[in-house]
Amino acid sequence: MPVPGASNRPAEDVSSAERPDVRGLSLDELAIAIIAAGQPPYRARQVMHWLHAKHAESFDAMHDLPADYRGWLAAHFTIGSLQTASVARSSDGTRKLLLRLRGGNAIETVIIPASGRVTLCLSTQAGCAMACEFCATARMGLHRNLTTAEIIGQIHAARRELAPGETLTNYVFMGMGEPLANYPRLVRALEIMTEAWGMDISTRRITVSTVGIVPMMERLLADVPVQLAVSLHATTDEMRDRLAPINKRYPLEVLLDACRKLPLARRRRITFEYVMLAGVNDTTADARRLVKLLAPLRAKVNLIFFNPFDGSGFGVSPRASIEAFQAILQAGNLTATIRESRGQDIAAACGQLFVACSEDHRENEPRRERTDLAG
Ligand code: SAH
């Protein structure tokens, strides 16, 4: 019987909304569904292998599974909940994917090739609620959390855009959103990424970047020992309150004390990200304060060129100031690197990810989504 009001939508769309995306399930969750359906539990592992090691895009492709079982899977699950709406290519090889989510929102995912590695920059939310003053995504506000399947789906979408012979080697959660504000879904995605039954990616190759939601940082490293990056950006509470308002909840002392106590694995360090804003936080006094703040920690610092966008109100620190700042950190025995901006010509650089979402998200007006805020 036709569903009232749905006559102009394909039947598959209507029903797929109710079937979970199997890419977002853990092995245990799939096994429970499979056992409940009277199938042998080992089938769960077979499905996971097809999904995450062999990159199957359909249940039919899983040809060593019995046909009736494939039919059962297709009746209860979908594969893939993201559609690639467009791919922007930078002259430096960076590619930015605009991915459409069910329900009308969109997100961005960025492939960043650099010497010997290909890094994928993943989003965890459509928009962001953290309101950092210098970040374009913050201007969107928070639209919604991504599901685990949507987080994982970005990896599959990126793989489809890779050149022959190119493989993803590193994964950074530095795209849209605050990963630790979408904690349960993030952790399930990390489990799928790192477990042997899943993508089997080393935790050393995965970095979660946070604005500093202290209680969740502690939980994260206990749950999945990935690399942690903390967006610091300031050396006084007064300045950090302004640049990253979460500081009012977790001020510098609380944040850094928590960082000091984190159970870091051997030879691991916390990366502190510091975006260099001309005349705001890039002075030699800031550099000296940073040395003092980080001295008790196993830390390294990543100095980031500010990526400007319309109406940001901030200027880019000159390279000479950034190098002088770096020299002070190094003299203070801190490892400090400078992150060169990538993909700026396609607004794919840090803090430039922005999907213009007008009041809408109406399904029949997809062209209103644009990605052109930054310039
Ligand atoms: N919410 C997380 C992850 C997303 S931001 C976090 O705050 O860490 C990833 C990095 O890009 C952060 O260090 C962020 O501060 C930085 N960033 C944001 N806007 C930027 C901009 N306009 N230019 C350069 N870096 C920016």
Side-chain angles (χ1 to χ4, degrees), residues 22-50:
V22 72
R23 281 184 186 154
L25 299 185
S26 67
L27 179 65
D28 288 348
E29 288 168 324
L30 183 60
I32 287 168
I34 282 175
I35 293 165
Q39 295 280 344
Y42 64 82
R43 294 257 184 256
R45 262 177 206 279
Q46 283 179 303
V47 173
M48 288 300 180
H49 189 70
W50 273 111

Side-chain angles (χ1 to χ4, degrees), residues 134-136 173-175 177-179 209-211 231 233 273 275 304-307 309 339 350-351:
F134 52 87
C135 177
F173 286 86
M174 296 184 186
E178 166 51 42
S209 177
T210 178
V211 71
S231 294
H233 308 317
E273 295 163 278
V275 58
I304 307 175
F305 272 91
F306 173 59
N307 293 308
F309 55 92
R339 190 193 291 167
C350 287

